[in-house]
Amino acid sequence: MGNQFAFIGNQYKLEIDDNEYFIDLLLYHRQLKCLVAIELKIGNFIPEYKGKMEFYLEVLNDKVKLPDENNSIGIIICKEKNRTVVEYSLKTSNMPIGVASYKTTSKLPKDYKKLLPASTEIAEKIDLLLKYDNVYE
């Protein structure tokens, strides 16, 4: 997502009266000077997601953002999206909300393989960690 984002939290808790709500990911964009709420969905986009995101953005703008920051932005990331459904859903919104889709794959891209440790190295580190933890029990 770029180097302008700062991580604020995952499952970021919002408390309204006696109710708790959780934003999947909350980031801060340094250049835009605003909070960015991200909701992750494992299925298709449905119009109800827009209402939930608008609620989150209203609360963030009212209770979390600082006076010198810009209004919050929402991003809904779904497995799939129907462009027409998204357009109709967001047509009446006056809030900055985007909808994106993702793809999963069982193969790791070649460029990433060199950035990650081998599975044997991971197993060795886990074993070492478990042995280290057992020393203090």
Side-chain angles (χ1 to χ4, degrees):
M1 291 184 66
N3 63 358
Q4 292 298 312
F5 284 97
F7 178 76
I8 303 295
N10 65 309
Q11 293 303 306
Y12 186 86
K13 182 167 68 169
L14 300 173
E15 292 185 56
I16 308 300
D17 295 331
D18 292 330
N19 297 308
E20 295 179 340
Y21 302 91
F22 297 90
I23 300 172
D24 290 337
L25 290 172
L26 185 61
L27 307 174
Y28 182 80
H29 195 280
R30 295 177 58 226
Q31 209 167 17
L32 297 175
K33 295 182 177 30
C34 70
L35 296 165
V36 179
I38 299 178
E39 280 294 292
L40 306 168
K41 305 298 180 186
I42 59 172
N44 294 345
F45 173 83
I46 56 175
E48 290 87 346
Y49 296 159
K50 173 212 170 206
K52 184 177 181 183
M53 182 57 79
E54 287 178 328
F55 172 77
Y56 288 160
L57 295 179
E58 287 288 352
V59 175
L60 288 171
N61 290 339
D62 189 50
K63 298 190 175 291
V64 180
K65 88 172 185 82
L66 299 175
D68 61 327
E69 294 175 341
N70 294 313
N71 284 338
S72 304
I73 295 173
I75 302 172
I76 303 165
I77 303 175
C78 304
K79 174 81 173 153
E80 293 182 26
K81 64 179 182 176
N82 177 299
R83 184 178 177 93
T84 307
V85 172
V86 171
E87 286 179 7
Y88 277 124
S89 298
L90 298 181
K91 196 173 194 174
T92 59
S93 182
N94 60 355
M95 303 189 104
I97 298 173
V99 178
S101 59
Y102 65 88
K103 293 181 183 175
T104 58
T105 180
S106 59
K107 289 186 176 182
L108 185 64
K110 188 183 259 185
D111 294 342
Y112 293 136
K113 284 185 181 180
K114 62 184 174 193
L115 300 173
L116 299 172
S119 58
T120 54
E121 186 180 345
I122 294 171
E124 289 170 4
K125 289 185 181 201
I126 291 173
D127 286 342
L128 184 61
L129 180 65
L130 292 174
K131 287 177 188 174
Y132 181 76
D133 281 348
N134 288 334
V135 171
Y136 293 103
E137 288 183 0

